[in-house]
Amino acid sequence: MSHRHQSPLFLLLSVLVAPGCAFQVLRAAPALPRAAALLSASKPALPAVTKAYTLSGLATGAAWTACSCVALSSHPNAAIDAVCGLRHNLLTIAQAYALPLPLIWAVASALRSAAAAGWDRLSSATYRRLNLALFTSSAWLCAAAVCMPAFAYGYDMYPAALKAAAGA
């Protein structure tokens, strides 16, 4: 059988057309050379890097949660805060958690699983981009926490301790 007939499309068509023959084709198909090379060349897991990604994801998520809760729990303008009330503040906080927290979790867990697979996977282009995304989001959070008046129309609502913790 030529290499052309062992493509995934051919295998799918053979299952749909002749299910009995497809089993023989699947059994006779040799393993893909690239997959075998990747499996044999895998490096050992990196437990220290895995822990670092776990801590980084937890720290970024905790910093985002604390900053959002402090910044959005009340409006700096007392008149607007009196009109909007607690319900508006809770919905605003929930909206601030809805996208960033699952995104932080997804990136950190993907990097953690790549580190568990070894340097080969972690050095691929996909995981280099995810590292860049984690760094960029952490740097943006640090800048937003430390330089809050620039991001919040001049309001400075974070205590110094929260700025120091979120900026670390």
Side-chain angles (χ1 to χ4, degrees), residues 83-131:
V83 171
C84 292
L86 179 64
R87 182 179 64 184
H88 178 267
N89 293 341
L90 291 177
L91 289 173
T92 305
I93 291 170
Q95 183 181 6
Y97 295 162
L99 176 69
L101 290 180
L103 196 60
I104 291 167
W105 174 79
V107 170
S109 63
L111 288 168
R112 188 174 56 240
S113 66
W119 280 118
D120 287 342
R121 181 166 307 157
L122 202 54
S123 64
S124 72
T126 299
Y127 294 101
R128 287 196 314 257
R129 279 188 228 112
L130 284 174
N131 270 311

Side-chain angles (χ1 to χ4, degrees), residues 64 133-147 151 166:
W64 180 261
L134 185 62
F135 169 76
T136 304
S137 64
S138 295
W140 183 261
L141 176 64
C142 176
V146 173
C147 305
F151 288 87

